[in-house]
């Protein structure tokens, strides 16, 4: 498996990965309702920041991806998914390490993200990479706005948490 920068031609495949991963999250209670995937605009935003990476199989078909953007001097990880058939093989860690290395290379102050605090493979996974959980009142206005937006989309605000990794 190799990690490469994703392209616009990968968008449909990336969305299918995200939709498949939704069911893994549903099984933990982290999400409910109709599955949703990133829009073209959201994926393009990561691409515009040159922060959209795909983990690919031997045929160069994406089986996982991570997307981020730069905001307020921080790398913000907006999405990271690995297709259930390829989970627990270290691809998520490799994708995250790729994004974090890019953030450090760009001399950004920190990496931020929001995630489910209760799913065993979310917040604990990010903590293993060095991220620290933030209660909502500790979050920057930008992270609070993201958490509020997630609640408006139907994610349980009691399960959501911001996290930070200072560089």
């Amino acid at each position: 498996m190799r990690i490469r920068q994703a392209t616009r031609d990968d968008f449909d495949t990336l969305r299918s990965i995200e939709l498949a991963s939704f069911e893994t999250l549903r099984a933990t209670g982290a999400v409910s309702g109709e599955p949703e995937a990133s829009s073209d605009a959201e994926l393009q935003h990561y691409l515009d920041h040159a922060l959209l990476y795909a983990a690919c199989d031997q045929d160069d078909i994406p089986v996982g991806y991570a997307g981020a953007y730069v905001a307020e001097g921080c790398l913000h990880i907006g999405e990271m998914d690995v297709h259930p058939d390829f989970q627990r093989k270290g691809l998520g860690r490799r994708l995250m390490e790729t994004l974090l290395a890019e953030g450090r290379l760009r001399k950004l102050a920190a990496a931020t993200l929001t995630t489910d605090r209760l799913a065993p493979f979310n917040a604990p996974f990010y903590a293993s990479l060095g991220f620290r959980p933030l209660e909502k009142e500790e979050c920057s206005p930008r992270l609070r706005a993201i958490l509020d937006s997630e609640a408006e989309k139907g994610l349980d605000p009691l399960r959501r948490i911001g996290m930070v990794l200072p560089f």
Side-chain angles (χ1 to χ4, degrees):
M1 301 278 176
R2 76 178 188 107
I3 307 293
R4 66 164 169 82
Q5 283 202 314
T7 69
R8 191 166 178 78
D9 291 340
D10 294 318
F11 283 8
D12 287 340
T13 304
L14 302 184
R15 274 193 288 276
S16 69
I17 293 164
E18 195 171 342
L19 291 172
S21 295
F22 186 94
E23 297 309 321
T24 303
L25 288 169
R26 184 194 305 274
T28 69
V31 296
S32 62
E34 289 299 312
E36 290 186 27
S38 297
S39 67
D40 275 357
E42 289 167 316
L43 294 172
Q44 186 63 50
H45 187 61
Y46 306 143
L47 195 58
D48 290 346
H49 284 257
L51 291 167
L52 183 61
Y53 290 92
C56 298
D57 66 12
Q58 64 277 5
D59 297 319
D60 201 41
I61 306 297
V63 297
Y65 87 96
Y69 57 90
V70 177
E72 299 174 348
C74 293
L75 175 77
H76 183 77
I77 290 101
E79 193 66 44
M80 200 277 291
D81 293 291
V82 175
H83 190 281
D85 293 345
F86 294 88
Q87 290 174 356
R88 308 206 48 86
K89 299 179 186 310
L91 293 177
R93 183 168 299 276
R94 288 181 55 204
L95 284 163
M96 285 299 297
E97 287 170 348
T98 299
L99 284 175
L100 296 174
E102 184 62 27
R104 288 182 181 101
L105 184 66
R106 295 183 188 195
K107 307 229 183 286
L108 298 174
T112 61
L113 56 83
T114 62
T115 192
D116 186 275
R117 73 172 78 223
L118 302 177
F121 45 81
N122 279 33
F125 166 72
Y126 296 120
S128 77
L129 292 167
F131 282 85
R132 179 177 66 83
L134 301 168
E135 293 306 321
K136 191 168 183 183
E137 59 274 4
E138 294 179 88
C139 292
S140 68
R142 177 181 58 81
L143 276 180
R144 280 196 305 272
I146 292 169
L147 289 166
D148 290 343
S149 172
E150 292 172 349
E152 289 171 12
K153 292 177 182 176
L155 295 176
D156 182 350
L158 297 176
R159 293 185 66 113
R160 302 302 294 171
I161 192 167
M163 298 187 83
V164 64
L165 170 62
F167 289 141

